Amino acid sequence: MSMSKSKISTGALVALSMSAFPVVAQESHASKEQLAPLFPEGKPYSPYTDRDFPERPLWGDSHLHTSLSMDAGGFGNRVGLDDAYRLARGEQIMASSGQPVKLDRPLDWLAITDHSDGMGLIVDILDAAPIVTQYEQGARWSEGMRAGGQTAVDSTLDLIATFSQGQMDPEMFANYSPGARRYANIWEDVITAAENHNTPGSFTAMIGFEWTSLVEGANMHRNVIFRDGADRARQVVPYTTQHPIGSTDPLDLYKYLEAYEARTNGAVMTFAHNGNLSNGIMFPVDAQYSGRKIDQMYVEQRAKWERMYEITQIKGDGEAHPFLSPDDEFADYGTWDAGNLDLSVAKTDEMLAGEYAREALKNGLLLEEKFGTNPYKFGLQGASDAHNSIVVTSEDNFFGKHAGYEPSAERLDHSFMKTEQGELFSWQQVGSGLTAVWADENTRASIFDAMDRKEVYATTGPRMAVRLFGGWDFDESDQFSRSPSAIGYAKGVPMGGDLVNAPEGTAPSFLVAALRDPIGANLDRIQIIKGWLDAEGNTHEKVYDVSWSDDRQAGSDGKLPAVGNTVDVASATWTNTIGAAELITVWSDPDFDPAERSFYYARVLEIPTPPWYLYDALKFGVDIPEGAPTSHQERAYTSPIWFTPTGE
């Protein structure tokens, strides 16, 4: 691929409306045919009038915990709802460890999703309230947490393990479950805080919660996001997992969502995260964890309610695993594969196929062939899952998952989690992630609707701008258009969309563009990941390098050489002397078969940069942990575009 094909035009930068770089005049070579979609007869001269598509991505976090969550408060989080919103909006706050913190840039939106089970319990444990200490469990945890230090950590881990294994004292826990006055009051506080900080057009505070389903320690968590405001959200309380009111089965969560919409005439969705900690039960093909067979009802309900999947976050990246994708040299990013959520059961290779997004997308094609509905037809988004109220996605500003892992000279000295089944090290916490939403405006309704149509993408933290369009009529000249977004919407469908009715003898083509984070690293390459189902019912995948920086050529093995590495380990710096500020191309599938179901998504890689613990080493004068990589390549994942054969 030539340099001219791998770099985006200056006009495209303007049209993407995402650049902080100076615009340099250059001669246009657009043809009359190219301009026709932009300046059709009868339309105004200005190509920007009457546009009805999103102009810029809105950046946010769909998964953040405050001091209200049991585990967050237990590990020392004392930052509440209001300060969490203030930080997200760009203000400086004081972290639980007594350190001032501020984000590099404000977010456009935020969903605070505290755990629905046990809301308020941790507050009363820390206060040694009689409603808790009259029970053996509550008294033990209260004494331990109030003692501080490692005793407090051990007590919190004991609480989490007890909850994970479904062994909470039922009488005590009923006081912190739906139906209890204490629970209703805290839900009202959650709603009120969101209303107070929601400023349509400027900052959006989505109302939500996390449904914390655990099956003997296997992660089945879902976050729930409402499209609506206080008037509808107040008509319900969150759904929980503990019997007799709640359930750990996602099918019961779907019933709650259905009931909410019927009762309020509102809208709601849910999305899963951390399949990598589910020990194989997040994406079933034959049967659920309960033994219930996958059937028509299951695939239809999951497709209806789970419109997105959280593909990257602090507890590990969930796109792909090297065991499942041995030919993908970039599959091993931020991998957590030691065991389930509480490391009570070690991981085996047989579990992995039910845990990762790419495999789920492939198996979704298989289930669609069988049932006519694809339960894993989800968009891809990212979130932090930070439990200290701090959105932690900048490597030089990493405040860890829990208050106990906020910046200090000691945080790299001990394990993040360790049991007889395995160990996770502190440095394995991933500074991830964010969701970019292609919404028409910064409001709850518009952001929710973009999520619903899957016009979203995930990044591991950087704010690179990425577009993906698929269609039948894109040609090479479209990459030189001064308005690739207008071309993309005019000639194809955006990420999250569907391609059907393949013209005879025509393969789908994709217009994909990426612009680096204005204050971040240059780009290495854009890849298209394809998955498909063949005539024999077998699934396949392939990774294509479609656009890249610098003067590189693929080797005899078809692999593109590495972009290089400018990271200086001692100073925790890098230079943008390699890579490209922007990349764009039109790519057509050379292996297309119109009889095969398939999907395509883009993965955009930055050049290597320092991970967060290099900044710790520099700041505190500590050693880099043994085995910890000294550079990584942050990335973005777009939602897929699906192809369905004619007649389906």
Side-chain angles (χ1 to χ4, degrees), residues 121 124-125 127-143 169-176:
L121 173 62
D124 289 344
I125 286 176
D127 288 344
I131 194 174
V132 169
T133 57
Q134 66 178 299
Y135 302 97
E136 187 278 329
Q137 286 180 344
R140 185 174 78 246
W141 294 330
S142 181
E143 181 181 358
D169 186 305
E171 186 175 325
M172 177 186 71
F173 211 60
N175 295 314
Y176 304 94

Side-chain angles (χ1 to χ4, degrees), residues 197-451:
H197 291 276
N198 188 56
T199 309
S202 176
F203 179 85
T204 294
M206 309 289 286
I207 298 173
F209 63 88
E210 180 172 352
W211 176 75
T212 315
S213 172
L214 285 166
V215 181
E216 297 180 348
N219 184 82
M220 292 283 282
H221 299 185
R222 265 78 169 173
N223 287 348
V224 173
I225 302 291
F226 297 93
R227 186 180 190 268
D228 313 301
D231 55 338
R232 290 188 170 99
R234 285 191 176 113
Q235 297 181 45
V236 298
V237 293
Y239 191 58
T240 56
T241 67
Q242 300 295 299
H243 292 292
I245 299 172
S247 167
T248 58
D249 192 333
L251 290 174
D252 292 324
L253 174 65
Y254 304 154
K255 292 176 184 177
Y256 165 88
L257 304 178
E258 189 86 54
Y260 168 82
E261 291 195 348
R263 178 176 181 175
T264 68
N265 198 32
V268 65
M269 72 169 68
T270 188
F271 55 90
H273 65 85
N274 283 119
N276 60 317
L277 303 179
S278 73
N279 275 11
I281 66 174
M282 181 61 79
F283 300 113
V285 175
D286 300 314
Q288 287 183 265
Y289 68 91
S290 61
R292 186 187 184 281
K293 292 292 185 182
I294 300 301
D295 57 13
Q296 190 79 32
M297 186 271 288
Y298 179 90
V299 298
E300 290 180 353
Q301 287 293 296
R302 185 150 182 173
K304 177 179 180 180
W305 297 111
E306 299 203 22
R307 308 292 291 171
M308 303 186 298
Y309 178 66
E310 186 178 298
I311 196 172
T312 184
Q313 62 130 256
I314 200 169
K315 295 201 300 292
D317 200 76
E319 183 219 5
H321 189 282
F323 177 81
L324 302 170
S325 303
D327 296 329
D328 182 358
E329 61 186 305
F330 297 105
D332 192 14
Y333 179 83
T335 303
W336 282 31
D337 56 5
N340 57 354
L341 182 65
D342 60 2
L343 272 182
S344 59
V345 180
K347 189 80 65 190
T348 65
D349 289 343
E350 292 73 23
M351 298 174 180
L352 296 172
E355 298 194 330
Y356 285 84
R358 189 186 300 175
E359 202 71 15
L361 290 167
K362 289 156 55 180
N363 285 330
L365 304 177
L366 186 66
L367 290 170
E368 185 178 30
E369 183 81 12
K370 182 177 181 180
F371 294 109
T373 299
N374 184 345
Y376 307 134
K377 196 174 183 179
F378 44 67
L380 302 180
Q381 51 97 234
S384 70
D385 191 19
H387 278 57
N388 55 0
S389 309
I390 299 169
V391 181
V392 287
T393 63
S394 298
E395 301 292 326
D396 63 351
N397 195 31
F398 185 74
F399 267 67
K401 180 174 176 60
H402 289 289
Y405 288 90
E406 290 180 357
S408 74
E410 294 77 34
R411 67 171 169 175
L412 292 177
D413 290 343
H414 52 88
S415 299
F416 183 77
M417 186 178 295
K418 184 177 182 179
T419 70
E420 294 180 355
Q421 309 305 323
E423 183 175 11
L424 289 166
F425 299 99
S426 176
W427 61 263
Q428 290 179 292
Q429 296 175 89
V430 186
S432 189
L434 288 176
T435 298
V437 179
W438 288 108
D440 296 317
E441 57 186 5
N442 194 349
T443 63
R444 286 170 174 159
S446 187
I447 290 172
F448 183 97
D449 291 347
M451 292 176 173

Side-chain angles (χ1 to χ4, degrees), residues 605-640:
L605 300 174
E606 286 187 343
I607 65 171
T609 52
W612 63 267
Y613 43 83
L614 263 64
Y615 294 97
D616 269 29
L618 180 67
K619 173 71 174 179
F620 300 115
V622 297
D623 293 332
I624 297 170
E626 183 179 355
T630 54
S631 66
H632 64 170
Q633 288 187 255
E634 300 213 61
R635 55 201 62 197
Y637 307 112
T638 73
S639 292

Side-chain angles (χ1 to χ4, degrees), residues 158-214:
D158 183 35
L159 184 158
I160 294 170
T162 302
F163 175 78
S164 299
Q165 301 300 324
Q167 297 174 355
M168 300 290 284
D169 186 305
E171 186 175 325
M172 177 186 71
F173 211 60
N175 295 314
Y176 304 94
S177 301
R181 180 178 299 176
R182 178 75 170 128
Y183 192 86
N185 289 342
I186 290 179
W187 180 237
E188 175 62 27
D189 292 342
V190 171
I191 294 172
T192 299
E195 291 297 290
N196 289 342
H197 291 276
N198 188 56
T199 309
S202 176
F203 179 85
T204 294
M206 309 289 286
I207 298 173
F209 63 88
E210 180 172 352
W211 176 75
T212 315
S213 172
L214 285 166

Side-chain angles (χ1 to χ4, degrees), residues 18-39:
M18 300 178 269
S19 177
F21 304 113
V23 176
V24 181
Q26 65 183 49
E27 184 178 358
S28 172
H29 297 285
S31 67
K32 182 177 180 181
E33 290 73 21
Q34 282 182 277
L35 295 176
L38 303 180
F39 303 104

Side-chain angles (χ1 to χ4, degrees), residues 483-499:
S483 188
S485 298
I487 289 286
Y489 283 106
K491 298 176 68 171
V493 298
M495 62 183 75
D498 292 277
L499 292 175

